[in-house]
């Protein structure tokens, strides 16, 4: 049967064709493809690993951030409280200082008023004594216009002096 | 519902169409559709010779038939090395039985009465036929070259992608071919050959793609395909001889020890070398099984489709109703068989590759530990 006897021509060409195909693919086909597929698999593996790491780091970072935020809130509250305290303190101090200043001013005023009054008193006394002297002068001059009266006065005065001595 | 209706409609149209063809053919008194030109030359053109048609389609030829024309053949070069040296001429000179004289030597295709039926013979001066060394580019050889180019295109398109696009993932056709490559490499070669897979992968992958493309091209019924290439024993023989050579040339010391002095009780191998004989026999039966498996599967598939198609013409003599019914049934069965053949094309390429891998792995055994693993893996192969 023709079907079961291999034909020489076809066997020959089959060998030749397969050899050409095999050499061509061996040189420029399979190694490139297999290496490429391997490289891609490695790349994908690396990518997955990288993504997992990145996710882990992201989770960590989020936790850290949360911690930082809580910390910051805490500190903020502290600062606010501190500021409040400081505010009341400053107000208190200012009030104290104002009070002291006011007292000082009042004291000074009191002292000066006293002085003024004393001065005024002195002046008044001086003026009163001047007036009195002037009055006395006038009175004396009127009384001493005649000799008798003068002599009487001198006498009186000498008498008084004598009595005193 | 609409789907069933559509199928019914197609069936009716096929019946009507075949009736029309029948009536036309009947009026011309020649049912010579798809009948070989050699039949035309016989006295009764309506009578068909199914055996001749089947064997013409399964076998090789010096020209390539084209659809809808039974005299036209695509001419292919005939290259013969006869008693008077090398002769090269177009097959168009001899396809219709003519004698062609190239220089001083005459050639023709031997007729039915010759023992070289269907082959180119040199007619010696005394009138006897001499079969020269024939390396013509026949239909099968041409189909072989087309398959080779297709395999190269397929593989180089993936290789080019890897060169140009680096580690980007390929899409569409390139992606599909790459998926097939990795399917064979990761699914068949690496699990069996392990760390030696890089050494043998080029051969095994080449074999797989070569067989797959030849099988699939054979299923296309018009010009670039249609050659019954893997259903030709020469092709499968070469492939399995190559597997045989790869297995035995790269065979380890342990492999040869297992062949000539297997690990069995002494009485099985000493006075009478029963086991060594069986083992040596096995070395040759493995490639033989490979040859016949692929050849028989693919030839069977081609034959069934041709026979189903021929049924229409065989039953043509029985009247319009029979021819209509036969057409519907035959066409449906042919389509079904062709779809099965698409599956078989893939499975046979896969099986050939898998068994080649196993045989090569069997020749790569080293030491006791590996042997048991390989034996375990070989079991499904025996079943297949």
């Amino acid at each position: 049967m023709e079907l079961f006897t291999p034909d020489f021509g076809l066997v020959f060409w089959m060998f030749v064709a397969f050899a050409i195909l095999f050499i061509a693919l061996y040189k420029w086909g399979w190694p490139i493809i297999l290496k490429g597929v391997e490289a891609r698999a490695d790349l994908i593996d690396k990518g997955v690993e990288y993504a997992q790491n990145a996710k882990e780091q992201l989770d960590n970072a989020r936790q850290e951030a949360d911690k930082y935020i809580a910390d910051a809130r805490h500190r903020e509250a502290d600062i606010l409280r501190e500021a409040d305290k400081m505010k009341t303190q400053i107000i208190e101090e200012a009030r104290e200082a104002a009070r002291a200043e006011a007292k000082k001013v009042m004291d000074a005023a009191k002292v000066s008023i006293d002085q003024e009054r004393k001065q005024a008193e002195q002046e008044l006394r001086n003026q009163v004594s001047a007036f009195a002297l002037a009055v006395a002068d006038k009175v004396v001059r009127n009384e001493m216009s005649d000799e008798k009266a003068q002599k009487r006065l001198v006498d009186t005065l000498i008498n008084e002096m004598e009595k005193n001595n | 519902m609409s789907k069933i209706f559509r199928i019914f409609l197609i069936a009716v149209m096929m019946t009507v169409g075949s009736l029309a063809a029948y009536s036309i053919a009947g009026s011309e008194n020649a049912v010579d559709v798809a009948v070989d030109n050699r039949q035309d030359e016989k006295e009764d053109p309506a009578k068909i010779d199914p055996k001749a048609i089947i064997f013409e389609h399964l076998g090789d030829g010096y020209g390539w038939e084209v659809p809808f024309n039974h005299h036209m053949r695509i001419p292919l070069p005939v290259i013969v090395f006869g008693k008077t040296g090398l002769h090269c001429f177009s097959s168009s000179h001899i396809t219709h039985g003519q004698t062609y004289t190239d220089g001083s030597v005459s050639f023709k295709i031997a007729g039915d009465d010759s023992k070289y039926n269907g082959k180119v013979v040199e007619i010696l001066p005394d009138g006897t036929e001499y079969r020269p060394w024939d390396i013509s580019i026949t239909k099968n050889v041409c189909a072989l070259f087309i398959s080779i180019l297709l395999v190269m295109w397929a593989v180089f398109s993936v290789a080019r992608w890897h060169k140009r696009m680096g580690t980007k993932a390929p899409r569409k056709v390139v992606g599909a071919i790459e998926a097939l490559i990795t399917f064979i490499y990761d699914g068949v070669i690496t699990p069996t050959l392990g760390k030696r897979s890089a050494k043998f992968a080029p051969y095994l992958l080449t074999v797989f793609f070569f067989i797959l493309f030849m099988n699939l091209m054979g299923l296309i019924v018009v010009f670039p395909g249609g050659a019954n290439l893997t259903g030709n024993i020469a092709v499968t023989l070469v492939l399995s001889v190559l597997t045989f050579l790869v297995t035995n040339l790269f065979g380890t010391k342990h492999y040869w020890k297992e062949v000539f002095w297997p690990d069995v009780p002494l009485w099985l191998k000493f006075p009478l070398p029963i086991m060594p004989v069986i083992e040596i026999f096995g070395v040759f039966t493995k490639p033989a099984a490979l040859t016949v498996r692929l050849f028989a599967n693919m030839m069977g598939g081609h034959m069934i489709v041709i026979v189903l198609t021929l049924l229409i013409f065989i039953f043509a003599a029985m009247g319009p109703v029979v021819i209509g019914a036969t057409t519907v049934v035959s066409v449906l069965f042919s389509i079904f068989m062709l779809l099965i053949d698409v599956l078989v094309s893939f499975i046979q390429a896969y099986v050939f590759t898998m068994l080649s891998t196993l045989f090569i792995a069997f020749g790569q055994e080293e030491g006791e530990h590996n042997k048991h693993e390989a034996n375990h893996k070989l079991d499904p192969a025996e079943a297949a």
Side-chain angles (χ1 to χ4, degrees), chain A residues 1-18 20-22 24-26 28-40 43, chain B residues 55 119 131 133-137 141 144-145 148 152 155-156 159 162-163 167-168 170 178 202-203 205-207 209-210 232-235 238-239 242 295 299:
Chain A
M1 277 266 270
E2 186 205 326
L3 277 179
F4 298 102
T5 47
D7 184 54
F8 168 75
L10 192 53
V11 169
F12 169 77
W13 283 117
M14 180 67 194
F15 259 117
V16 171
F18 191 86
I20 291 168
L21 180 71
F22 177 71
L25 296 186
Y26 185 79
W28 302 297
W30 304 123
I32 295 168
I33 295 170
L34 295 179
K35 236 174 261 168
V37 169
E38 200 62 31
R40 192 197 305 141
L43 184 77
Chain B
F55 279 96
K119 302 288 180 199
R131 176 95 171 102
W133 289 103
D134 183 359
I135 50 166
S136 310
I137 310 297
V141 176
L144 184 67
F145 291 161
I148 295 259
M152 282 190 182
V155 177
F156 286 147
H162 277 284
K163 248 189 224 161
T167 47
K168 265 188 192 169
E178 203 204 86
Y203 169 71
L205 284 168
T206 309
V207 163
F209 277 88
F210 192 32
N232 190 308
I233 204 158
V235 171
V238 170
L239 287 171
L242 288 173
F295 157 70
M299 194 197 64

Side-chain angles (χ1 to χ4, degrees), chain B residues 224-290:
Chain B
N228 180 29
L229 200 47
T230 35
N232 190 308
I233 204 158
V235 171
T236 58
L237 183 72
V238 170
L239 287 171
S240 48
V241 163
L242 288 173
T243 296
F244 172 80
L245 290 176
V246 171
T247 306
N248 292 298
L249 292 182
F250 292 98
T252 55
K253 209 187 279 176
H254 182 82
Y255 165 73
W256 288 112
K257 192 220 147 216
E258 281 299 307
V259 170
F260 292 111
W261 196 252
D263 196 12
V264 288
L266 190 66
W267 61 270
L268 274 174
K269 54 190 178 183
F270 178 50
L272 266 176
I274 302 166
M275 281 312 286
V277 166
I278 291 171
E279 290 281 350
I280 292 164
F281 196 61
V283 168
F284 293 99
T285 51
K286 279 179 212 153
L290 274 184

Side-chain angles (χ1 to χ4, degrees), chain B residues 115-185:
Chain B
K115 62 174 172 172
Y116 306 119
N117 182 13
K119 302 288 180 199
V120 167
V121 287
E122 187 178 336
I123 301 165
L124 298 176
D126 60 353
T128 53
E129 288 172 347
Y130 169 71
R131 176 95 171 102
W133 289 103
D134 183 359
I135 50 166
S136 310
I137 310 297
T138 58
K139 184 174 114 179
N140 277 346
V141 176
C142 189
L144 184 67
F145 291 161
I146 292 170
S147 302
I148 295 259
L149 290 177
L150 279 172
V151 174
M152 282 190 182
W153 163 78
V155 177
F156 286 147
S157 65
V158 181
R160 199 165 47 239
W161 178 282
H162 277 284
K163 248 189 224 161
R164 288 201 187 148
M165 301 296 189
T167 47
K168 265 188 192 169
R171 305 278 195 276
K172 294 180 184 169
V173 178
V174 180
I177 298 166
E178 203 204 86
L180 211 52
I181 295 170
T182 48
F183 172 71
I184 294 300
Y185 186 69

Side-chain angles (χ1 to χ4, degrees), chain B residues 79-94:
Chain B
I79 305 165
V80 287
F81 196 80
K83 290 203 162 169
T84 50
L86 187 71
H87 293 274
C88 235
F89 52 91
S90 164
S91 71
S92 61
H93 295 302
I94 52 167

